[in-house]
Amino acid sequence: MGMYCRGMARAATTSDAFNAVAEPRRREILNYLALQERPVGEIVDALEMEQPSVSKHLRVLKDVGLVHARRDGRQMFYRTNAEAIRPLYEWAGTFERYWKHQLLRVKERAEAKSVAVKKD
Amino acid sequence: MGMYCRGMARAATTSDAFNAVAEPRRREILNYLALQERPVGEIVDALEMEQPSVSKHLRVLKDVGLVHARRDGRQMFYRTNAEAIRPLYEWAGTFERYWKHQLLRVKERAEAKSVAVKKD
DNA sequence: ACAATACATGCCCATATTAGAATATGTCAA
DNA sequence: TTGACATATTCTAATATGGGCATGTATTGT
């Protein structure tokens, strides 16, 4: 029977931006850090998360380059590296023409229906 | 299935498009099904994956509305629902102005440097 | 009814993850 | 050095995942 299971259950959160960003909390953090850099403590207060939790999320984000870190005294300032979100944007953008096309078809169908109603 | 869970280790892949799309294989499937609908067997052949694996990925994608399914005889035709990818696109797009700004700063710094060199 | 085809689902399991509590590291100030 | 403050890491327990493989289920053809 099954001896070795080489199962990578699920890609590591640190494997790429897609996986890192899958976590809602991390998206919140990225949103918060987009405007300006912030020390960890402020993130904790603003987003009402536990400090270790924030640190761990920041670690993941840093590992995939989604945030940059800078030390100032005892504080660590983090800021979003928007550049690292681009691949995501571009992949999703690949589908833009398709959803536009879909909307067109919906519109066409709606118009066809309205014509049919007028015919009645 | 999760009504209330003690420690949700990680958000379910079916919890939203972000989580569903985190899996590379599922992104491949979405790419493949964007142009036109296909039966499962063709996905299996084209992407060289095991059939049960494909079925399971399709289930996840369907649960979050990323694909639509249509039965025709013994075949199930799937197609990408591009509309469901938009939230992702829009979230990522939120950061567009930031990465543009970053590029600007990089350019400015480069120019400043070149001026400094000329001064020497 | 029976076989064949096309998918879907169930099970096992090593792996990765999460929150939370406790603890460790690092930095400054007196 | 000692203490206070700011972050990071470690350890736990609970859970979900994805690949393989086996089995179920639905639909068609004979």
Side-chain angles (χ1 to χ4, degrees), chain A residues 23-42:
Chain A
E23 176 68 22
R25 304 306 237 159
R26 282 196 284 267
R27 288 201 299 278
E28 285 181 49
I29 292 175
L30 288 174
N31 288 335
Y32 185 62
L33 297 177
L35 255 160
Q36 67 173 113
E37 64 174 10
R38 307 271 194 182
V40 178
E42 276 185 36

Side-chain angles (χ1 to χ4, degrees), chain B residues 8-10 39-41 51-52 55-56 59 74-76 78:
Chain B
M8 189 91 71
R10 194 170 175 182
V40 179
Q51 176 266 312
S55 279
K56 278 183 269 190
R59 180 90 153 89
R74 358 183 169 177
Q75 295 185 306
M76 284 290 284
Y78 286 88

Side-chain angles (χ1 to χ4, degrees), chain A residues 6 15 33 41 46 65 69 77 92 98 111 113:
Chain A
R6 275 215 46 77
S15 57
L33 297 177
F77 285 82
Y98 297 111
E111 282 167 22
K113 212 171 195 173

Side-chain angles (χ1 to χ4, degrees), chain A residues 28-87:
Chain A
E28 285 181 49
I29 292 175
L30 288 174
N31 288 335
Y32 185 62
L33 297 177
L35 255 160
Q36 67 173 113
E37 64 174 10
R38 307 271 194 182
V40 178
E42 276 185 36
I43 307 173
V44 169
D45 292 344
L47 306 185
E48 295 180 283
M49 301 168 60
E50 298 292 325
Q51 177 267 313
S53 183
V54 170
S55 278
K56 278 181 278 189
H57 284 312
L58 287 169
R59 180 90 153 89
V60 172
L61 293 172
K62 198 177 128 200
D63 282 356
V64 294
L66 278 163
V67 297
H68 286 151
R70 175 179 72 86
R71 162 151 251 144
D72 179 37
R74 352 180 171 179
Q75 297 185 305
M76 284 290 283
F77 285 82
Y78 285 88
R79 77 181 156 79
T80 298
N81 175 29
E83 194 60 44
I85 300 176
R86 271 180 89 164

Side-chain angles (χ1 to χ4, degrees), chain B residues 65-101:
Chain B
L66 278 163
V67 297
H68 286 151
R70 177 179 70 86
R71 161 151 252 143
D72 179 37
R74 358 183 169 177
Q75 295 185 306
M76 284 290 284
F77 286 83
Y78 286 88
R79 76 181 156 80
T80 297
N81 176 28
E83 194 61 44
I85 300 176
R86 269 180 91 165
L88 230 147
Y89 181 74
E90 265 147 30
W91 178 79
T94 294
F95 296 87
E96 191 176 12
R97 46 172 302 215
Y98 297 112
W99 72 60
K100 279 185 175 161
H101 201 257

